[in-house]
Amino acid sequence: MKLSQAEWQIMNALWDEHPATARQIAARLPEQVNWAYTTIKTMLTRLVEKQAVRERKQGNASLYDPILSRRQARSSALKSLVNQAFDGAFGPLMHFLFEQQDLTAKERTQIIQILQEHNNPKRNR
Amino acid sequence: MKLSQAEWQIMNALWDEHPATARQIAARLPEQVNWAYTTIKTMLTRLVEKQAVRERKQGNASLYDPILSRRQARSSALKSLVNQAFDGAFGPLMHFLFEQQDLTAKERTQIIQILQEHNNPKRNR
DNA sequence: TACATCTTACTACATTTGTAGAAATTGTCA
DNA sequence: TGACAATTTCTACAAATGTAGTAAGATGTA
């Protein structure tokens, strides 16, 4: 399942807490995203058509739940990036991450830290 | 600079070796990509307009060179993925990479290996 | 009950993307 | 020099995407 940028915004809001009404989703979008309410509804309708989201009527209004999980969406976005831009393998992606000159120090630290977390168990066992 | 999927195909072929003619690029595209020659030309024209590629006439034909570097393109694609899908931080991306259940053993090994490469210098110094 | 609201359902429209054909131009070889 | 072949230029067009307006139905409320 491929989500567009705008769809990611909606899904991110929905994953954070659901079910949610369109109104609630609107409230959770990042500041910069200043969509008309009907824009959000349009996106939701399209997501329902794509079966990324389930809609159920609650009185006159609708409640939405994700069908597509964040994990699934992340996984396919990542795979598609890797295929498109990193020769289809995670290796080149990892290399790239490490060679990145324009990572901030903070990002760098973050990464190293995670690596250690995930690396240490191996050595400690 | 944001490249579309099709544009990545062209750019990948061009980065591999340049300058290149449209014909050469065509020859380097992956098997599955079976575009008409004019499709490739259209993409190239658009990439020139976007200033991702430079075109120079060599007799009747054109030679193309990338202006946008692979590194730059990768960097912005990665950043945009991270923003869109990983809360804007590399940390969550790294975590995700490690928790991924559906990585193949090979991919897993690849990653660990890279990590070690980049981790060891720190300890060995 | 009659209005002010909210929500949905439909429609709209510009831009970007994927894909390519047709026509014009240029180079080439017999 | 004429016929072909290769290349470029233009034009086209459908699908996807971003963004939103309008009409009509449901609801709360004075």
Side-chain angles (χ1 to χ4, degrees), chain A residues 20-75:
Chain A
T21 63
R23 211 40 92 177
Q24 291 171 324
I25 290 172
R28 287 187 214 141
L29 293 175
E31 306 303 327
Q32 315 86 352
V33 179
N34 241 18
W35 290 334
Y37 176 77
T38 51
T39 299
I40 292 162
K41 285 290 292 183
T42 302
M43 297 302 311
L44 282 167
T45 302
R46 289 184 187 169
L47 285 165
V48 168
E49 277 160 17
K50 292 177 84 162
Q51 316 220 54
V53 163
R54 182 179 305 111
E55 177 176 17
R56 57 192 147 104
K57 279 287 159 51
Q58 184 75 91
N60 68 322
S62 284
L63 287 183
Y64 298 91
D65 284 283
I67 295 175
L68 180 69
S69 72
R70 184 171 236 156
R71 162 169 296 281
Q72 287 170 329
R74 282 178 166 176
S75 170

Side-chain angles (χ1 to χ4, degrees), chain A residues 73-83 90 93, chain B residues 78 81 86 93 96-97 100:
Chain A
R74 282 178 166 176
S75 170
S76 67
L78 190 52
K79 274 192 206 307
S80 124
L81 177 72
V82 162
N83 283 323
F90 282 89
L93 167 61
Chain B
L78 190 52
L81 177 72
F86 294 94
L93 167 61
F96 185 80
L97 265 168
Q100 266 296 71

